Amino acid sequence: MTHPYEDMGPEAYWKTAVAAPGAHGLTGLWSPKFAIKPNHRIVTAGSCFAQHIGNALAERGYLWTDCEPAPPYLLGDEARTFGYGVFSFRTGNIYTPSMLLQWLELADGARDEVREVWQKDGRFFDPLRPAIEPNGFASEDELWAARQSTYAALRRAIETANVFVFTLGLTERWHNRETGLEYALCPGTVAGEFDAEQHVFTNTNTRTTQRSLMRAIRFARSKNPKLKVLLTVSPVPLTATASGAHVLTATQYSKSVLRAVAGMAAEGSKHVDYFPSFEIITHPIFRGMFFAPNMRSVVPEGVTTVMKHFFADQARVFGAPRMGKTRKRIAAVVPKGEEDIKCEEELLNAFAA
């Protein structure tokens, strides 16, 4: 061998790996580090695209785990309206790694509670998840009792899961200058009042984002040393940006940072992996075919293609799974189509001129 390129397989060359097979002939995009089996307890959280992954796993009979199920008087779509069955716990969307870290530490008591509450029309809203109660809570006591229930569900999920799937969505975030509390959405958009002196916008860089993600992973694994973490990056563009940049370039910045950070987190780690759902949806070889006419929402065919690669590559590396009994009770809870996906950031569309 005169140089390394003589001994590489066809997957290493664009001509043989991409151009020749074309968009629908791509194979081997992912070489998973660990098996994800149907009987593994799988919990999901993060950006809205994580809901698609939970749905696909549940429909295949995998043990997607809902650690905070809806009360018996809330069923189906009504339960989802109140934030149940969307993720494995009722946190709503967790868009940033720093927000994930905040939830983990608050649930464990490792971070001091900030008793901030937003109000609107005499109702009370949780600044960490203002959209889970569409009309707000009736009282502050009810809000804090609900938060404690979610803390318990989050602890239970992390401590008992085999696999935690987390989808990174944003680098843009809002927080309180005095308390450091990070919000799910900008104050004043859903509820509360915006204060330019108190409410601070930041757009995290690669270094800051990576630090938050690694701290969150280490924290979760300190509670469950056997926990495997599968990272994905949401392909869904930003609804709006507060960065001052055009929303298209702001989206590219955010996704580039998140993709780089996810790759760095997985590099050299046996218990952290990255699955390329972002690339499958957004790469130019697919010519935008997986986006709806608004060029933001992912159509069902895109989700199907993503999960086809997920299951195919798991089977290629670890063999076909033994499915066992399908768990229909879970598949009835998770979303069925793009119109069912809960994405709190989309609420910002209401402020577009």
Side-chain angles (χ1 to χ4, degrees), residues 191-220:
E193 295 182 3
F194 180 75
D195 182 342
E197 295 298 319
Q198 188 176 27
H199 300 137
V200 181
F201 170 82
T202 55
N203 196 10
T204 58
N205 58 25
T206 304
R207 180 173 56 257
T208 304
T209 307
Q210 183 192 23
R211 182 165 60 245
S212 295
L213 179 61
M214 295 310 298
R215 285 181 61 191
I217 291 173
R218 284 195 295 268
F219 192 92

Side-chain angles (χ1 to χ4, degrees), residues 5-142:
Y5 290 94
E6 286 186 335
D7 200 33
M8 291 182 178
E11 73 281 356
Y13 298 91
W14 188 269
K15 177 180 178 180
T16 52
V18 180
H24 297 293
L26 294 174
T27 59
L29 293 179
W30 179 40
S31 293
K33 296 179 180 180
F34 44 81
I36 300 177
K37 301 178 180 180
N39 64 342
H40 282 166
R41 290 176 59 88
I42 303 168
V43 298
T44 56
S47 185
C48 46
F49 197 78
Q51 298 167 59
H52 287 304
I53 297 175
N55 183 35
L57 289 168
E59 288 186 341
R60 280 285 191 110
Y62 281 67
L63 188 54
W64 178 83
T65 306
D66 186 356
C67 292
E68 193 174 6
Y73 54 84
L74 287 178
L75 300 174
D77 292 341
E78 187 179 9
R80 288 180 50 73
T81 298
F82 286 86
Y84 292 102
V86 179
F87 300 103
S88 292
F89 23 79
R90 198 183 176 212
T91 57
N93 293 114
I94 301 177
Y95 287 112
T96 65
S98 53
M99 190 72 168
L100 173 63
L101 177 63
Q102 178 177 264
W103 269 109
L104 290 171
E105 291 182 339
L106 285 171
D108 189 69
R111 180 183 298 212
D112 291 339
E113 188 74 81
V114 177
R115 307 243 344 152
E116 180 178 346
V117 174
W118 293 351
Q119 296 189 44
K120 182 179 180 181
D121 300 330
R123 304 286 289 184
F124 301 88
F125 294 79
D126 188 337
L128 301 192
R129 46 182 188 165
I132 62 158
E133 289 280 338
N135 298 313
F137 291 93
S139 67
E140 291 192 44
D141 287 344
E142 183 182 353

Side-chain angles (χ1 to χ4, degrees), residues 34-40 42 56-57 60-63 307-325 327:
F34 44 81
I36 300 177
K37 301 178 180 180
N39 64 342
H40 282 166
I42 303 168
L57 289 168
R60 280 285 191 110
Y62 281 67
L63 188 54
M307 298 311 298
K308 179 191 75 172
H309 284 279
F310 179 94
F311 294 119
D313 286 334
Q314 276 279 319
R316 175 176 56 83
V317 175
F318 299 108
R322 299 178 61 182
M323 296 310 301
K325 185 177 181 180
R327 300 166 178 85

Side-chain angles (χ1 to χ4, degrees), residues 274-328:
Y274 171 77
F275 173 65
S277 56
F278 173 78
E279 289 86 342
I280 295 169
I281 296 296
T282 65
H283 198 277
I285 191 175
F286 295 105
R287 296 173 172 83
M289 70 176 75
F290 296 140
F291 285 106
N294 65 6
M295 295 308 297
R296 185 176 186 277
S297 302
V298 177
V299 298
E301 292 81 1
V303 179
T304 298
T305 300
V306 165
M307 298 311 298
K308 179 191 75 172
H309 284 279
F310 179 94
F311 294 119
D313 286 334
Q314 276 279 319
R316 175 176 56 83
V317 175
F318 299 108
R322 299 178 61 182
M323 296 310 301
K325 185 177 181 180
T326 302
R327 300 166 178 85
K328 295 184 182 297

